[in-house]
Amino acid sequence: MADRLAGVPLAPYTTLRTGGPARAFTQAQTQDELVAAVAEADREREPVLVLGGGSNLVVSDDGFDGLVVRVATRGVDVAVEDGRALVIVQAGEDWDALVARCVAEGWSGVECLSGVPGLVGSTPIQNVGAYGQDVSQTVAAVRVYDRVTGEVGDLTAAECGFAYRDSAFKHDPGRHVVLAVTYALERSPLSGPVAYRELAARLGVEIGARVPLADAREAVLELRRGKGMVLDPDDPDTRSAGSFFTNPVLGPEEAAALALRAPGHPRWDLPDGTVKVPAAWLIENAGFPKGYEKGRARISTKHTLALTNPSGEAGAAELLALAREVRDGVHEKFGVWLVNEPVLVGASL
């Protein structure tokens, strides 16, 4: 069993650089250590926070009154069959490093997720997506520790209940600890069909075209850097949790009401009759421009979806005060509620 430390500040373990101390803190280097640490805490009825890359997390200034288990497992195994590669990845592997390897090896299906910060274990929980791809398109299985049954097993993609930025893991939070993820990737030098208009324009191709994997990766990284969405210690806009709000998906009545308030607003009509609206447009047009500040917290100077801690000195309370102001302002102007994407620990909007 790995050693426990007391009072470890959590801010350095999050990309927002906020968060008070953990009552107890340990690192798990193997699946067995990860399972053992969580199982022991559960037996002692001790609260547990499983910590990955901290890129989608807002921890309160009071910290966490329990055990924080940092996932530091490593390992990538590959099984090649027919036209695909089954890539089995431990939860503690860095996500973007994995994407870079997939591009280099000619494994297609995750190249548009380049530059997304965090660890592999969080990708099925959030159903991480960007630029027309999300991991639900390639996840074949997720190995988990079930804290209710006490067993280790594999969930199929269908059992993960994937939806837009959502999964069954988010609807039953804390039950499953992700140990490893298996991705089924096409063996091809070409990207998946380009599905995102902004990316297609950057690549100079039509929607649906396929391009060399390296070209897709570089174009995505360029787009993300332009929005402050690639971690860079020299860029204060990247001290964020990425997109703080999800793009609202509206039913027909809500969409009609918004159309009356904002005729001609940007929208994506989805096959099921719902309408997705860009949260960044709602935020900016509700009176919150890039660079808008509240105390030491700030909307990114590059993209209105990101809330940032540019000095590294803002507390979680300041970030959340800004988030509430933005959320409430959008609702007042457009009648649409924004929903936070990061996980809030010891805090709420």
Side-chain angles (χ1 to χ4, degrees):
M1 183 74 66
D3 292 338
R4 285 186 172 211
L5 302 173
V8 173
L10 296 177
Y13 292 97
T14 73
T15 55
L16 258 176
R17 296 294 184 260
T18 65
R23 181 159 58 81
F25 182 96
T26 189
Q27 293 199 89
Q29 306 283 343
T30 67
Q31 282 194 19
D32 287 346
E33 285 184 1
L34 181 51
V35 170
V38 174
E40 180 184 18
D42 286 346
R43 285 194 296 272
E44 299 297 323
R45 299 182 182 277
E46 182 177 24
V48 176
L49 171 63
V50 178
L51 177 65
S55 60
N56 201 51
L57 198 63
V58 181
V59 180
S60 80
D61 298 318
D62 293 332
F64 186 72
D65 188 22
L67 173 66
V68 173
V69 182
R70 185 166 186 256
V71 181
T73 54
R74 297 288 186 269
V76 179
D77 296 299
V78 183
V80 175
E81 58 177 41
D82 300 326
R84 69 178 188 168
L86 290 177
V87 186
I88 305 161
V89 192
Q90 297 304 303
E93 286 284 343
D94 179 79
W95 171 253
D96 190 55
L98 174 68
V99 175
R101 177 177 175 183
C102 292
V103 167
E105 298 278 1
W107 303 331
S108 175
V110 293
E111 57 283 346
C112 293
L113 302 177
S114 293
V116 174
L119 305 185
V120 162
S122 66
T123 61
I125 297 171
Q126 303 295 333
N127 187 17
V128 167
Y131 295 102
Q133 282 184 344
D134 57 55
V135 293
S136 68
Q137 297 165 324
T138 54
V139 169
V142 179
R143 191 157 188 81
V144 298
Y145 169 61
D146 187 328
R147 295 169 67 185
V148 172
T149 66
E151 297 178 349
V152 172
D154 294 300
L155 300 178
T156 65
E159 290 171 323
C160 292
F162 291 123
Y164 170 65
R165 301 295 181 272
D166 199 10
S167 70
F169 302 108
K170 293 181 77 170
H171 292 274
D172 195 359
R175 174 171 179 174
H176 295 103
V177 178
V178 175
L179 305 177
V181 185
T182 300
Y183 303 93
L185 303 174
E186 181 186 1
R187 295 173 63 199
S188 170
L190 298 178
S191 69
V194 176
Y196 200 79
R197 195 169 306 281
E198 185 183 20
L199 178 58
R202 176 59 63 100
L203 289 163
V205 300
E206 298 293 325
I207 293 287
R210 301 184 69 176
V211 301
L213 289 171
D215 291 357
R217 174 171 168 78
E218 188 52 41
V220 167
L221 288 173
E222 288 174 0
L223 288 169
R224 291 185 67 88
R225 286 191 193 102
K227 299 173 182 176
M229 295 290 189
V230 176
L231 294 181
D232 180 350
D234 295 325
D235 183 354
D237 276 330
T238 70
R239 293 191 195 105
S240 77
S243 297
F244 200 91
F245 298 104
T246 59
N247 291 323
V249 177
L250 309 179
E253 290 185 6
E254 295 171 297
L258 177 59
L260 289 175
R261 290 190 186 218
H265 71 82
R267 56 185 279 165
W268 297 288
D269 294 303
L270 303 179
D272 62 359
T274 59
V275 174
K276 187 189 294 185
V277 181
W281 184 91
L282 294 170
I283 292 167
E284 190 141 10
N285 285 274
F288 302 100
K290 297 170 186 173
Y292 181 89
E293 293 180 328
K294 187 177 185 69
R296 291 174 294 184
R298 183 177 76 187
I299 293 176
S300 168
T301 65
K302 300 180 179 69
H303 199 284
T304 50
L305 258 188
L307 306 187
T308 69
N309 182 6
S311 67
E313 297 177 356
E318 290 174 270
L319 265 297
L320 292 171
L322 175 57
R324 288 188 198 99
E325 184 179 356
V326 170
R327 179 199 62 185
D328 295 348
V330 166
H331 184 259
E332 183 178 350
K333 179 72 179 286
F334 295 113
V336 174
W337 283 113
L338 295 180
V339 177
N340 55 286
E341 187 167 337
V343 176
L344 308 183
V345 176
S348 65
L349 281 184

